[in-house]
Amino acid sequence: MTSFTPLVLTFTLPPLRLRPHLASSRLARLTMADERGVATDSTKRSGFRFSSGGASSDGLGDSKPSSPYLPIKEGYLDGDKPDAAWALAATNFVKQGRTILSQIGETVGLLPGDPLRPPACLGLSLSNEAVKEAERRREAAGGSIDAHPVSRTLYDVGCLLLDNLFDQRPIQRFWFLEIIARIPYFSYVSMLHLYESFGWWRGPELRKVHNAEEWNELHHLLIMEALGGNAQWSDRFLGYHVAFAYYWFLIGVYLCSPRIAYQFMELLEAHAVDTYSTFVKENRERLSQLPPPAVARSYYAEGDLYYFDDFQVDRKPGSRRPACDSLLDVFENIAIDEGEHVKTMRACQDYAVLGKVVVSPHAVYSDTSSATSDEERRALWKQWAEEVNQLGGAAGPRVSFGAESSEEWPLK
């Protein structure tokens, strides 16, 4: 079992009451702040104070302070190594079996629940009616999606199930949404590989954008796991099996119509924007009191941001560098991300119908030379040739440039 160092907290928001208590072995112990608490720059302005002498509970670095969230393995690994399918299945069956018994015991009252385990200790809420109202306002303002009737029906049924299965369980709902949200990009890339393998059509830039989109959704998923969104076996069972069915459903749809496959994803991403935006509005003050999970800072602020730029096809790379100093920042960033996915799905539909190529923004905005004229490029070439000649020395090879030199190319 993993041990955690004490976590020192100060809350300025009265409704969120975390009493001193020993938490479970997977959660850092919470205490009221005392003279040992040290506030960081990012938490001073949010009113949240925490300190620790050990590694981050997210498992993403030794220098970061602890957080009240669950651990995420460094490198985002889930398991020790790749293995035969039956070996992985057997290991997973044993692991999941333990949690089935735990959930049943807590449900029937044989085992006590842990009130300090995320997400229960976070005290967050989400109104289904408010989400529906946000969707109605968006569609009334011209943001409706002219979806295929079958797509719209499946979408409406899915929303109804979400409202009933995850009522007042927003973090679990978000985890379920994110486990589903990654699947279309797996399906799209699989189909693009199939087309390319048969020699029918090749779209490497489109695959690259989809890979970046999946990487973005993966980090949304990891954030929800750090917040305890997948703590219950029943939620995991439902999410994984729906994801499996959804993958093959989209494979069939893409095989018949890439446009409809992208359009269905646009529906889901627009719903995600409405859901996250409503959640931020309802929990703004409370979210501002909580620190970001380490995995969120790793993605938005501290890691390699190449993939972060790559899924945002309408933005120049480096133009969006969001803050990530509180959980409020994290959820605002996720809402904006989902809006970027909507734009990308619309661009992909235009690609499928009109042939307007979708490429990585790094390719769109790449600049191979700062020179804008033939004279400037000629001057740069001459400068490069002089530097090469200086490195070669008096007896070394010489690089010439056109009629201005009596030397000839290639090098002698």
Side-chain angles (χ1 to χ4, degrees):
M1 301 299 291
T2 303
S3 61
F4 296 93
T5 53
L7 176 68
V8 183
L9 306 176
T10 295
F11 291 91
T12 58
L13 185 61
L16 185 57
R17 295 172 183 171
L18 301 180
R19 297 188 179 94
H21 187 72
L22 264 185
S24 65
S25 60
R26 297 193 64 200
L27 183 62
R29 288 176 293 169
L30 305 178
T31 64
M32 297 304 293
D34 58 16
E35 65 276 3
R36 295 174 296 172
V38 179
T40 64
D41 290 339
S42 62
T43 56
K44 284 177 182 176
R45 62 183 182 85
S46 67
F48 186 93
R49 187 167 66 166
F50 61 104
S51 69
S52 170
S56 164
S57 65
D58 281 3
L60 295 176
D62 294 335
S63 61
K64 298 179 179 64
S66 274
S67 73
Y69 309 127
L70 300 181
I72 299 295
K73 280 191 176 182
E74 188 170 1
Y76 315 146
L77 300 176
D78 189 6
D80 297 326
K81 62 179 181 178
D83 207 339
W86 51 84
L88 293 175
T91 301
N92 185 67
F93 181 81
V94 173
K95 181 174 65 175
Q96 298 290 344
R98 299 192 190 103
T99 62
I100 295 174
L101 297 176
S102 299
Q103 182 174 339
I104 293 175
E106 291 183 9
T107 302
V108 300
L110 297 178
L111 295 176
D114 187 352
L116 292 182
R117 182 186 180 91
C121 68
L122 302 177
L124 302 171
S125 62
L126 177 65
S127 166
N128 293 332
E129 287 303 317
V131 174
K132 293 176 184 177
E133 180 59 28
E135 184 174 28
R136 285 192 288 266
R137 288 198 305 269
R138 170 176 56 80
E139 293 181 343
S144 60
I145 299 169
D146 187 19
H148 189 278
V150 175
S151 299
R152 185 71 200 197
T153 301
L154 291 173
Y155 167 78
D156 290 337
V157 171
C159 289
L160 182 63
L161 290 174
L162 282 174
D163 290 347
N164 286 277
L165 292 172
F166 298 98
D167 186 33
Q168 290 306 319
R169 296 199 301 147
I171 302 301
Q172 293 92 330
R173 175 178 180 145
F174 295 151
W175 179 85
F176 183 85
L177 284 174
E178 297 301 344
I179 203 73
I180 301 301
R182 301 174 62 201
I183 296 303
Y185 306 116
F186 292 151
S187 299
Y188 302 157
V189 171
S190 295
M191 290 304 300
L192 293 175
H193 277 300
L194 178 67
Y195 290 170
E196 189 167 338
S197 298
F198 286 163
W200 294 349
W201 184 74
R202 180 183 298 161
E205 281 293 324
L206 184 58
R207 278 194 284 111
K208 185 182 177 186
V209 170
H210 288 333
N211 286 331
E213 290 184 285
E214 188 278 324
W215 189 248
N216 176 261
E217 299 290 10
L218 167 65
H219 284 80
H220 295 176
L221 178 69
L222 293 172
I223 290 166
M224 300 312 154
E225 290 182 354
L227 299 178
N230 66 334
Q232 290 194 356
W233 170 84
S234 56
D235 293 335
R236 296 194 302 273
F237 180 87
L238 179 64
Y240 293 143
H241 286 79
V242 170
F244 179 80
Y246 189 37
Y247 172 84
W248 288 107
F249 166 75
L250 281 179
I251 287 286
V253 173
Y254 201 101
L255 191 66
C256 300
S257 174
R259 181 188 67 83
I260 294 179
Y262 289 130
Q263 186 185 73
F264 190 74
M265 189 57 181
E266 182 187 358
L267 273 172
L268 296 184
E269 298 291 10
H271 175 75
V273 174
D274 297 332
T275 306
Y276 281 116
S277 299
T278 302
F279 177 75
V280 168
K281 183 178 180 181
E282 291 184 2
N283 299 274
R284 175 173 293 276
E285 186 176 4
R286 187 158 302 197
L287 291 171
S288 69
Q289 301 288 327
L290 294 167
V295 67
R297 285 200 56 81
S298 174
Y299 181 67
Y300 287 111
E302 298 171 354
D304 185 349
L305 297 176
Y306 184 91
Y307 258 19
F308 176 71
D309 291 330
D310 220 32
F311 85 94
Q312 304 175 80
V313 295
D314 282 349
R315 292 180 183 265
K316 186 176 181 179
S319 62
R320 182 183 167 213
R321 290 295 179 263
C324 192
D325 297 328
S326 68
L327 199 57
L328 175 62
D329 291 335
V330 172
F331 277 97
E332 287 180 335
N333 293 342
I334 292 175
I336 295 172
D337 289 349
E338 303 298 358
E340 294 297 327
H341 285 297
V342 171
K343 297 177 187 177
T344 303
M345 290 299 97
R346 289 174 181 168
C348 289
Q349 292 174 64
D350 290 342
Y351 195 179
V353 176
L354 306 175
K356 296 176 63 175
V357 180
V358 173
V359 298
S360 160
H362 288 96
V364 173
Y365 293 99
S366 63
D367 184 10
T368 57
S369 172
S370 59
T372 58
S373 66
D374 290 342
E375 290 76 12
E376 289 176 324
R377 284 190 286 271
R378 184 181 181 88
L380 287 174
W381 179 263
K382 289 178 65 176
Q383 180 182 350
W384 171 81
E386 291 172 358
E387 291 174 355
V388 171
N389 291 335
Q390 290 175 1
L391 291 174
R398 306 291 295 175
V399 177
S400 63
F401 187 78
E404 296 183 5
S405 173
S406 58
E407 304 289 344
E408 295 180 355
W409 185 268
L411 300 180
K412 295 181 179 179

